[in-house]
């Protein structure tokens, strides 16, 4: 049986066909359809920076012949991977000239788990260089366009991962989130994104930006798929001592949930976005939740605390890129934003400052975390906006602080170790807006369940 679906994209008609034979999806045919779509569309949006058609087709043929793998939960799922997560045999460049010739010699733990569960990697997704950026414009390979609003940025740093999902170049994608790098582009591109609690997913094989913040997570078309992929990639890993084992996350009933709304988070949001978020909050009321107003007094500390720690940890992590072991010396070939973070991180790490900026930032981090846990004590989740403003136009010049301001509502989750997800909640003049849902550390199940029920309700 062949089922044909016609998809219109930029006035191009693309026929997608899914053949079923004896109840099994013919993965080779699905891959061919995706490769054809990538050929037609990717040159426009620049979401994927490396695709190996022959390799992917060969892997698809092997999957079709493996009866055991057909029973796995990811069988037939086509997945794109951010360019800072090692996939053996692919160039993992972090979208930087520094690593333009680095071919990954191994699979990251999350990639091993995807392959073991029947998932198929279709290509490597573009990103902000070394994950330094919130727009998707700092890549050595050129900016990624937003498939939902092509004159606008897609958000970053997981720009290519979100754009690949939004443009239907894959079923789902992996990104990394240091201060909102999954949630920001998910919101701008109108897809689902989820940052698990710190420690739920192994970071082994991730080229880190700031090791105490980074977390790998999914970008998907539905919240149910986010739950599925999170369950596959999570778990204790002896190669990452920060990881913990958790029970499988399941969809639970959110009726009776206490849903917190932080006044200070709402106050910094553009009026049109706030209107969409307030309508989203009404959906939770209709789902039987109780809305609780909260106050968080440390919003002003979020950006300086995050970026001071980010600068120091990023400077430390980049010392491996010295041009002797592999790649180029990073300072000689990197872009402006990467160099800015290296220089500031170097300066505030110097002996004459005795680490006082970093130490004070760590104190502020503890202060913020303790206060967040305190205000969340009597609620199940917090809901609000993901970003305070709509994405700017591609090529529009912003100051560093204007760019950093995109992160004001997302960095608290990374600072405090929370889990956080984004689901689409409407559009403003055709530009998607995402609702952010945050939960206490290791209460990922509640957040994912709330995402699923919200998504079902608005559909």
């Amino acid at each position: 049986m062949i089922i044909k679906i016609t998809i219109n994209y930029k006035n191009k008609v693309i026929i997608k066909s899914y053949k079923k034979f004896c109840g099994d999806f013919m993965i080779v045919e699905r891959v061919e359809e995706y490769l054809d779509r990538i050929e037609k569309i990717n040159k426009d949006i620049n979401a994927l920076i490396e695709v190996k058609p022959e390799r992917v087709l060969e892997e698809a043929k092997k999957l079709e012949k493996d009866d055991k793998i057909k029973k796995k939960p990811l069988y037939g799922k086509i997945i794109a991977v951010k360019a800072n997560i090692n996939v053996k045999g692919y160039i993992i460049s972090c979208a930087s000239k520094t690593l333009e010739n680095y071919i990954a010699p191994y699979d990251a733990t999350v990639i091993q788990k995807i392959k073991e569960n029947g998932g198929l990697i279709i290509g490597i997704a573009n990103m902000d260089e070394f994950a330094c950026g919130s727009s998707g414009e700092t890549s050595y390979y050129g900016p990624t366009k937003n498939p939902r609003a092509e004159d606008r940025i897609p958000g970053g740093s997981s720009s290519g991962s979100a754009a690949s999902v939004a443009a239907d170049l894959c079923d789902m994608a992996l990104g990394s989130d240091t201060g909102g790098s999954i949630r920001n582009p998910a919101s701008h591109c109108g897809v689902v994104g989820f940052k698990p609690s710190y420690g739920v997913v192994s970071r082994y094989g991730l080229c880190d930006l700031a090791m105490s913040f980074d977390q790998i997570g999914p970008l998907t078309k539905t919240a149910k798929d986010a739950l599925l992929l999170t369950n596959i990639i999570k778990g204790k890993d002896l190669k990452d001592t920060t990881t913990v084992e958790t029970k499988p996350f399941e969809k639970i009933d959110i009726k009776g949930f206490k849903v917190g709304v932080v006044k200070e988070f709402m106050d910094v949001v553009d009026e049109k976005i706030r209107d969409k978020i307030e309508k989203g909050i009404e959906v939770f009321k209709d789902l039987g939740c109780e809305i609780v107003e909260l106050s968080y007094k440390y919003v002003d500390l979020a950006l300086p605390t995050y970026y001071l720690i980010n600068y120091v940890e990023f400077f430390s992590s980049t010392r491996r890129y010295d041009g002797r072991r592999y790649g180029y010396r990073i300072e000689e070939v990197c872009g402006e934003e990467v160099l800015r973070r290296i220089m500031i991180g170097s300066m505030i790490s110097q002996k004459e400052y005795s680490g006082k900026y970093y130490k004070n930032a760590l104190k502020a981090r503890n202060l913020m975390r303790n206060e967040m846990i305190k205000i969340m004590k009597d609620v199940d989740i917090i809901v609000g906006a993901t970003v305070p403003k709509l994405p700017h136009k591609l090529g529009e010049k912003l100051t560093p602080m204007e760019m950093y301001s995109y992160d004001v509502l997302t960095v608290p989750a990374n600072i405090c170790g929370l889990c956080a997800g984004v689901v689409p909640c409407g559009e403003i003049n055709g530009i998607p807006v995402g609702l952010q849902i945050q939960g206490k550390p290791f209460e990922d199940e509640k957040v994912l369940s709330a995402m699923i029920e919200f998504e079902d309700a608005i559909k």
Side-chain angles (χ1 to χ4, degrees):
M1 179 176 67
I2 298 178
I3 304 170
K4 287 190 175 181
I5 304 170
T6 303
I7 297 176
N8 289 298
Y9 177 83
K10 291 183 66 180
N11 299 318
K12 299 174 185 174
V13 176
I14 297 165
I15 303 295
K16 299 202 72 174
S17 61
Y18 297 92
K19 183 188 290 183
K20 272 195 167 188
F21 179 72
C22 297
D24 293 328
F25 276 113
M26 302 301 288
I27 298 179
V28 172
E29 189 167 321
R30 291 203 71 215
V31 169
E32 287 172 342
E33 298 282 359
Y34 271 123
L35 290 173
D36 183 58
R37 186 168 174 78
I38 289 167
E39 178 68 24
K40 289 184 172 80
I41 293 172
N42 189 57
K43 56 191 173 189
D44 255 350
I45 62 174
N46 198 28
L48 296 171
I49 56 178
E50 187 181 18
V51 178
K52 295 177 180 287
E54 291 182 4
R55 170 174 167 164
V56 177
L57 286 167
E58 187 61 34
E59 290 174 351
K61 290 174 184 176
K62 289 179 182 177
L63 284 178
E64 280 190 357
K65 294 175 182 177
D66 189 340
D67 290 333
K68 290 182 180 179
I69 208 77
K70 290 177 182 179
K71 299 175 183 178
K72 299 290 186 177
L74 285 183
Y75 179 70
K77 296 291 186 181
I78 312 299
I79 301 168
V81 179
K82 189 175 180 178
N84 61 349
I85 300 171
N86 276 266
V87 181
K88 187 175 182 179
Y90 281 90
I91 295 173
I92 305 303
S93 63
C94 298
S96 176
K97 182 176 176 61
T98 309
L99 296 174
E100 66 176 348
N101 296 316
Y102 169 67
I103 299 175
Y106 69 101
D107 283 327
T109 297
V110 291
I111 302 302
Q112 289 176 357
K113 291 185 174 186
I114 284 172
K115 290 180 177 179
E116 288 167 0
N117 283 278
L120 188 62
I121 309 302
I122 198 161
I124 303 303
N126 206 356
M127 59 183 282
D128 280 300
E129 185 181 16
F130 280 106
C132 295
S134 303
S135 68
E137 296 176 293
T138 69
S139 170
Y140 169 62
Y141 300 97
T144 301
K145 290 183 180 178
N146 188 333
R148 298 289 302 278
E150 286 200 23
D151 64 333
R152 303 275 174 161
I153 62 163
S157 63
S158 304
S159 52
S161 297
S164 295
V165 174
D168 194 29
L169 304 184
C170 59
D171 293 316
M172 49 183 65
L174 283 184
S176 64
D177 193 307
T178 311
S181 292
I182 288 173
R183 291 161 288 153
N184 174 309
S187 177
H188 288 333
C189 291
V191 299
V192 173
F194 182 64
K195 182 202 86 70
S197 300
Y198 187 82
V200 164
V201 175
S202 172
R203 294 176 296 110
Y204 178 73
L206 172 70
C207 304
D208 51 309
L209 168 58
M211 61 182 180
S212 68
F213 292 139
D214 293 335
Q215 188 67 103
I216 296 172
L219 289 122
T220 58
K221 296 170 185 174
T222 69
K224 288 186 177 75
D225 274 351
L227 173 63
L228 169 66
L229 190 50
T230 301
N231 270 329
I232 296 298
I233 63 175
K234 76 177 188 66
K236 179 89 174 159
D237 181 13
L238 296 178
K239 296 173 182 175
D240 179 357
T241 57
T242 67
T243 54
V244 298
E245 193 59 67
T246 61
K247 68 179 180 65
F249 300 138
E250 297 178 353
K251 161 69 180 67
I252 59 175
D253 186 3
I254 70 167
K255 186 176 182 180
F257 267 26
K258 290 188 176 180
V259 176
V261 178
V262 178
K263 178 183 181 299
E264 290 80 1
F265 289 171
M266 297 292 282
D267 288 345
V268 300
V269 175
D270 175 87
E271 185 177 345
K272 291 181 180 178
I273 295 176
R274 190 186 311 126
D275 179 60
K276 294 292 181 186
I277 301 305
E278 287 173 347
K279 289 178 180 176
I281 293 167
E282 290 297 316
V283 172
F284 283 103
K285 281 186 181 178
D286 295 339
L287 289 169
C289 300
E290 177 186 347
I291 308 302
V292 180
E293 186 170 305
L294 303 175
S295 179
Y296 185 65
K297 56 188 176 183
Y298 296 127
V299 174
D300 290 345
L301 285 179
L303 290 179
T305 299
Y306 170 77
Y307 276 101
L308 280 170
I309 296 172
N310 183 299
Y311 290 148
V312 173
E313 293 188 1
F314 180 60
F315 170 67
S316 175
S317 75
T318 59
R319 295 312 84 203
R320 76 192 79 168
Y321 308 123
D322 54 13
R324 295 192 295 271
R325 285 166 284 188
Y326 49 84
Y328 299 96
R329 186 169 182 266
I330 189 170
E331 288 90 346
E332 295 176 355
V333 296
C334 69
E336 181 181 320
E337 180 58 31
V338 171
L339 187 59
R340 177 183 294 112
R341 297 192 190 199
I342 289 173
M343 297 301 289
I344 296 175
S346 172
M347 182 187 71
I348 63 180
S349 300
Q350 290 174 7
K351 187 177 179 180
E352 63 187 282
Y353 296 113
S354 301
K356 67 178 181 180
Y357 295 109
Y358 184 63
K359 289 176 182 176
N360 284 336
L362 292 178
K363 289 178 183 177
R365 178 180 189 165
N366 285 333
L367 192 68
M368 290 184 66
R369 180 183 290 157
N370 292 338
E371 179 67 12
M372 182 64 77
I373 298 302
K374 178 181 174 182
I375 71 165
M376 293 184 73
K377 181 182 177 183
D378 297 320
V379 299
D380 294 284
I381 55 173
I382 288 177
V383 300
T386 309
V387 285
K389 55 187 179 182
L390 292 176
H392 62 264
K393 292 187 176 181
L394 280 163
E396 185 178 335
K397 296 297 182 183
L398 272 66
T399 66
M401 286 311 299
E402 286 175 326
M403 187 66 74
Y404 294 167
S405 69
Y406 275 111
D407 301 333
V408 67
L409 299 174
T410 50
V411 297
N414 302 80
I415 290 171
C416 302
L418 309 180
C419 49
V422 170
V423 283
C425 71
E427 296 180 352
I428 298 172
N429 299 324
I431 302 169
V433 173
L435 178 81
Q436 181 174 211
I437 304 172
Q438 301 180 77
K440 293 188 274 290
F442 305 114
E443 293 193 358
D444 303 56
E445 189 171 70
K446 288 185 177 181
V447 171
L448 287 161
S449 297
M451 291 166 64
I452 291 170
E453 290 212 20
F454 179 84
E455 183 180 76
D456 288 345
I458 64 171
K459 281 182 178 178

